[in-house]
Amino acid sequence: MRPFILGLGLAAVLAATPPVFAADPLGLFIGRVQAMKSMKDAMGTIGGAVSRGEATDPAMFAYPVKILTMASRRVAHVFPEGSTHPESKARPEVWSDRAGFEKAAERAVTAAEALQAAVESGEGDQLAKAFDGLFSACKNCHESYRIDKK
């Protein structure tokens, strides 16, 4: 059931295009929140296994890695100008430093694609290293462009 819900939230964001959401900032906000939650769940699934030394069979991570790869490719697109929301965790720098944000998002795409390649290689030691790369890319982006609301 969890993978279905995970994929459903992501599918809503991935199926929509920014022009559709431009007329519906609330819909865009809700969609990107769901996509980020899907990414967080996928990272937790992989990260937990990596930290426990259980990432010896990368094929078992094909689904969460696919979510991460697809969603990372959309991150820069789901923050168009004017898509702010009072409950958003996005810093104003997402829009005022657009080039920096897009560069950070592209680093996440590159790291997610490396993780995808590690899964496809079938070698567990590559999976852990690639996961660390994606974790770092996400962390760096969040430190610069996300408000930490605890």
Side-chain angles (χ1 to χ4, degrees):
M1 182 66 166
R2 185 175 179 189
F4 174 76
I5 293 171
L6 200 80
L8 190 59
L10 178 64
V13 170
L14 296 176
T17 58
V20 170
F21 281 130
D24 183 12
L26 179 59
L28 178 57
F29 168 71
I30 291 169
R32 74 178 172 231
V33 165
Q34 291 304 313
M36 293 294 178
K37 285 181 180 179
S38 295
M39 292 177 77
K40 179 180 176 182
D41 288 346
M43 291 291 286
T45 297
I46 300 165
V50 166
S51 70
R52 291 186 305 270
E54 298 172 355
T56 56
D57 181 12
M60 65 189 263
F61 302 104
Y63 181 76
V65 168
K66 187 67 168 174
I67 288 172
L68 292 167
T69 303
M70 290 170 44
S72 68
R73 290 178 182 151
R74 299 293 304 153
V75 167
H77 303 286
V78 296
F79 288 90
E81 189 67 38
S83 65
T84 59
H85 186 275
E87 294 182 36
S88 177
K89 293 181 182 180
R91 291 180 186 261
E93 288 84 353
V94 167
W95 298 279
S96 65
D97 178 21
R98 191 63 188 188
F101 175 68
E102 288 180 1
K103 188 174 182 179
E106 187 56 38
R107 283 192 293 268
V109 170
T110 300
E113 289 172 349
L115 183 57
Q116 181 75 43
V119 166
E120 292 169 0
S121 79
E123 303 203 15
D125 59 331
Q126 290 184 19
L127 180 86
K129 183 179 177 184
F131 175 79
D132 288 345
L134 181 56
F135 182 84
S136 292
C138 292
K139 181 180 177 188
N140 290 337
C141 188
H142 284 199
E143 286 174 349
S144 298
Y145 299 103
R146 179 176 182 251
I147 298 168
D148 189 13
K149 294 182 179 179
K150 293 186 177 190

